[in-house]
Amino acid sequence: MRIVPLIWSSGSLLLACLSMAACTPPKSPDEERRPDPQVSRASGPTSAIVQSAEAYKDRARSAEESQLDAADQHRAEIDAQTQ
């Protein structure tokens, strides 16, 4: 009859040890190092994709600027009418 409590106590001890081992914080990872860029931005001619992207950005900037100018002009017209 003493075998059953002994199995339970050793099982409980084993369960407690496993749960304590599972609850330990993980080890901190090594610091990640970003890879060095293989092509610098200043070297060599730009590709067609980069040139088309820059042209698209320039068109977007000019469209935004014209929209802001039109909005300023519209506000000025409204202010002139209300005075």
Side-chain angles (χ1 to χ4, degrees):
M1 289 296 191
R2 288 199 46 105
I3 294 175
V4 172
L6 180 63
I7 291 173
W8 284 353
S9 65
S10 59
S12 302
L13 181 62
L14 179 65
L15 182 62
C17 289
L18 288 175
S19 63
M20 287 175 54
C23 293
T24 58
K27 295 180 182 179
S28 62
D30 296 333
E31 291 182 5
E32 292 185 18
R33 184 171 172 263
R34 293 185 181 191
D36 295 330
Q38 296 190 5
V39 178
S40 68
R41 189 175 177 114
S43 68
T46 57
S47 68
I49 295 174
V50 173
Q51 289 175 352
S52 65
E54 289 299 322
Y56 179 78
K57 289 179 193 177
D58 291 339
R59 286 193 309 268
R61 286 185 193 111
S62 66
E64 180 184 16
E65 187 176 323
S66 66
Q67 287 291 323
L68 292 175
D69 290 343
D72 289 339
Q73 184 180 6
H74 186 66
R75 273 191 225 101
E77 290 173 0
I78 292 174
D79 289 342
Q81 291 177 0
T82 57
Q83 291 178 351

